[in-house]
Each structure stands twice: as structure tokens, then as C-alpha cells.
Amino acid sequence: MKRKLSLLLCAALVLASLAGCKPSASENDSSSSASGDISSGGSSSGDSSQEIPGPSDIPEINFMVLSGPTGVGAAYLVDSYATGSAPTDAPFTLNTTVVADNNQVTDALVNGSADVAAIATNVAANLYTKSDGAIQVLAVNTLGVLYILEKGDSVHSMADLRGKTIYATGQGANPEYVLDHLLTANGVDPSTLDIQWMTAQEVSAKMVSSEQAICMLPVPAATALMVQDTGVRQALSLSDEWEKLDQGVLPMGCVVARTEFIQENPMLIDALLDLYGDSITFMTEEGNAADGAALVAKYGIAPNEQVAQAAIPQCNLTFLTGQEMRAALEGYYAVLFRTDPASIGGGMPYDAFYYGGE
């Protein structure tokens, strides 16, 4: 894949950013870290007068991604720039940790053990408010990834969910708020449903053991369930249902960074965004399907290559920055605010939240 940054630009970025870049140390929990697959390296400093930096001179970014669709687009980036194996002309290396819970990401951003992270969009807005602007959003990396699945044939519209029992994952995050909004917009009171909130694994187990059941899952968990149990069908795409309301795109995943890290390393952030966009392109190109799936499985972002290859086309990977990113997020946040102000921290984020979106 053709990189947007030439080798000369990469070297220049490194030399320009070395003086101001002081990557924070990270001690990752071995149970949630991808360090078995990604070689971890400590912070390093080098002689900024060198014309060609060696591996020890390249600044390190502590990067955290969620398993599942929010992390899928970063797989190529993570593999290409891993600390310990990145090319010598790289503008940075990534010390990457893959986790399963948004709370793990927010904790790491707050305590400084993560510099940049991929996270749910509503969680990003909440953290911005609660931390007094300690983070900024850099890009939207994932659009709608939620599906209503059924073992049976009774659900063909949102209205058909009235009075049903639904096994679901994502309470207190995007999935809950999206579901509530779509139900309400289609004349269904969410309180008329019996929504049982569980982990994705618990939802899948319920579906497999039932003769008739309905659930809400994101990909790749939804994909994995349909691979495991061929009696489960896709009843509704919540992205399609959202688009029927003509209220813009459904941005569910984003990339954020600590505000302090951005201020200290602006050129490094711009290089990261450039290469992150390249990673999204690689992961979405049809000719890279097998290689992309292998990377997603390698870093534990999906359970295996078979599921990853089937799920990636359904992950709605995108890369929106600047004004385009801001417009997408503001439209979505306005919907969430009307549904439940607490879902985005009680109010719309300020202008400073949007990196490059002024």
C-alpha cells in the first residue's frame, strides 16, 4: 500500500518531534494486553542531530484499542509500527494494548498510561466533560455496527420488537442509546421490551441454547454467532434503520488522544492520523481481505480469521477528520442529547473537543 508520507517526511517528523515528545511509560495488565503479539519497548531518547534516526530514537506512542469493530481499522497500523519491529524510517512506534472494555480505555487516558486510543463515540464525549477537556477527538473510525439477530422469523421492522425479550450487550454505551432512540422513533416505548443486558459471550450462549430468541449484537460478535449457529439470522441492521430517519450517519467509534499529548506533539499526531487513514484503507480493500483478517485475529480484535474475514465488510470502517468528523459527531450527539443528556455527559461538547474541526 502506498503511504502518504514519504520517507523524507517521516524522518523530518521524527527529528522535529523528538525534543517535545516524552512518551509515558505503560505497565500493561498481561490479561488484557496484546504484548504477546506486539513487542513492547520502553521510552527512549536519542541524539536529535542524527540525520537518520535509529530504532531507539523513534518516539513511542502508547496506543490502546478496543477489541471488536472499533479496533479493526487499526490492525494494519498496529502491525506495521509496533515497538521493536517498526521500520527505521518510521515517524513513531506503537506500544499497543487491546482491551475489551471502554472503562479500561478511559482509565488509561486519565492516568496517562495511554496517549491515543480508539473508543466509543459517546464514551469519548462523556470523558471530555468529566475530565475538563483532558482529551480531544481526532477522527471517526467506525460507523454503525449493530444488528438485531433472531432465531425465528417474527422481526422485520423496529415495530415488531414491541413486547419482545431481547438479549443485548452495551448497556450505558452507544448500543443502548441507539436502540432506545430507534424504538422511540418508530413508535415503540422501550419500557415495553424486556431488555436483558449481558456480555456478548452471554448473549451468544443464550441464543445458541434457545429455540426462539432475539438479540442485539455488534460485529464481529454478531458474525461469530451466525457462524456458530446457522439457525440465527440477521433481522435488522440498525444502521439501515438509522438512515431511514434521515438524521445523518451513525458514528459509533472514534480515535481520541490526551490533550496534553496533542499539544506537545502536534506533528506526531498529524503523522499518526495520516497513517491511521492508510490503515483503514488497507483493511477495507477487497484484495487485502485475507491479510487483514489475519491481523485482526493476531491481535485478538476478533476471535479468529474466519470470523474476522466475514465481519470486516460489516464493520463500516471509515476515517472522518476535521470538519467532516465534527459534523458527523455533532449530529449524532444532538440525537443522544435529546434521548438522554447523560449519555454524552450532560451537554454538547465544546469546540475544543474537535481536533482540527474549528
Side-chain angles (χ1 to χ4, degrees):
M1 182 179 63
K2 184 178 179 181
R3 295 183 194 160
K4 297 178 185 174
L5 292 179
S6 66
L7 299 184
L8 289 175
L9 176 58
C10 290
L13 286 170
V14 173
L15 294 174
S17 61
L18 275 173
C21 180
K22 297 181 181 180
S24 55
S26 174
E27 294 182 6
N28 298 323
D29 184 341
S30 61
S31 65
S32 62
S33 172
S35 59
D37 299 309
I38 307 173
S39 300
S40 297
S43 301
S44 59
S45 60
D47 180 2
S48 60
S49 66
Q50 288 181 278
E51 292 186 5
I52 302 178
S56 63
D57 300 317
I58 302 174
E60 182 182 74
I61 298 174
N62 291 313
F63 184 46
M64 185 169 281
V65 301
L66 287 169
S67 58
T70 307
V72 166
Y76 181 79
L77 178 73
V78 167
D79 193 67
S80 299
Y81 295 94
T83 297
S85 61
T88 56
D89 64 302
F92 54 78
T93 67
L94 294 176
N95 176 33
T96 303
T97 307
V98 179
V99 299
D101 191 326
N102 277 294
N103 290 330
Q104 293 174 276
V105 185
T106 58
D107 288 347
L109 288 166
V110 169
N111 66 33
S113 60
D115 303 314
V116 180
I119 197 170
T121 49
N122 82 293
V123 174
N126 259 301
L127 180 58
Y128 174 78
T129 300
K130 293 176 180 178
S131 65
D132 293 325
I135 66 161
Q136 289 178 268
V137 62
L138 305 176
V140 170
N141 66 356
T142 317
L143 299 179
V145 294
L146 291 170
Y147 294 86
I148 299 294
L149 307 180
E150 183 182 20
K151 217 171 184 179
D153 192 31
S154 66
V155 177
H156 301 278
S157 70
M158 294 300 297
D160 291 336
L161 294 173
R162 184 182 284 107
K164 303 287 189 183
T165 295
I166 299 180
Y167 306 122
T169 187
Q171 186 176 26
N174 280 324
E176 179 179 8
Y177 303 121
V178 169
L179 179 61
D180 282 356
H181 176 68
L182 290 175
L183 288 169
T184 302
N186 283 274
V188 180
D189 184 346
S191 67
T192 65
L193 281 68
D194 177 16
I195 304 175
Q196 299 186 18
W197 297 102
M198 307 173 176
T199 66
Q201 292 79 8
E202 290 169 339
V203 170
S204 296
K206 279 282 191 182
M207 293 294 291
V208 170
S209 63
S210 301
E211 292 185 6
Q212 288 189 321
I214 302 168
C215 74
M216 178 180 69
L217 283 173
V219 292
T223 311
L225 175 57
M226 289 187 285
V227 169
Q228 182 182 1
D229 188 338
T230 56
V232 177
R233 72 177 187 91
Q234 178 183 312
L236 298 172
S237 162
L238 295 193
S239 296
D240 291 345
E241 298 302 315
W242 186 274
E243 290 175 7
K244 289 177 183 178
L245 301 178
D246 193 26
Q247 54 192 14
V249 297
L250 176 54
M252 293 190 65
C254 62
V255 185
V256 303
R258 292 188 295 108
T259 301
E260 183 181 9
F261 186 81
I262 294 171
Q263 292 171 344
E264 292 176 351
N265 306 283
M267 296 183 71
L268 203 59
I269 289 295
D270 288 344
L272 173 67
L273 287 175
D274 202 45
L275 294 175
Y276 206 128
D278 287 348
S279 184
I280 295 286
T281 299
F282 179 90
M283 296 300 296
T284 54
E285 288 181 346
E286 188 175 347
N288 299 327
D291 290 341
L295 292 176
V296 170
K298 175 181 178 181
Y299 294 111
I301 299 170
N304 56 59
E305 291 185 38
Q306 179 188 11
V307 168
Q309 190 157 352
I312 289 172
Q314 296 180 300
C315 283
N316 274 334
L317 300 180
T318 189
F319 204 69
L320 308 180
T321 59
Q323 289 285 354
E324 190 177 14
M325 167 195 71
R326 178 171 180 166
L329 286 174
E330 284 188 327
Y332 178 55
Y333 289 152
V335 172
L336 292 188
F337 182 78
R338 290 194 298 270
T339 302
D340 181 1
S343 66
I344 55 170
M348 295 288 285
Y350 295 132
D351 293 348
F353 175 61
Y354 304 99
Y355 178 79
E358 297 80 6

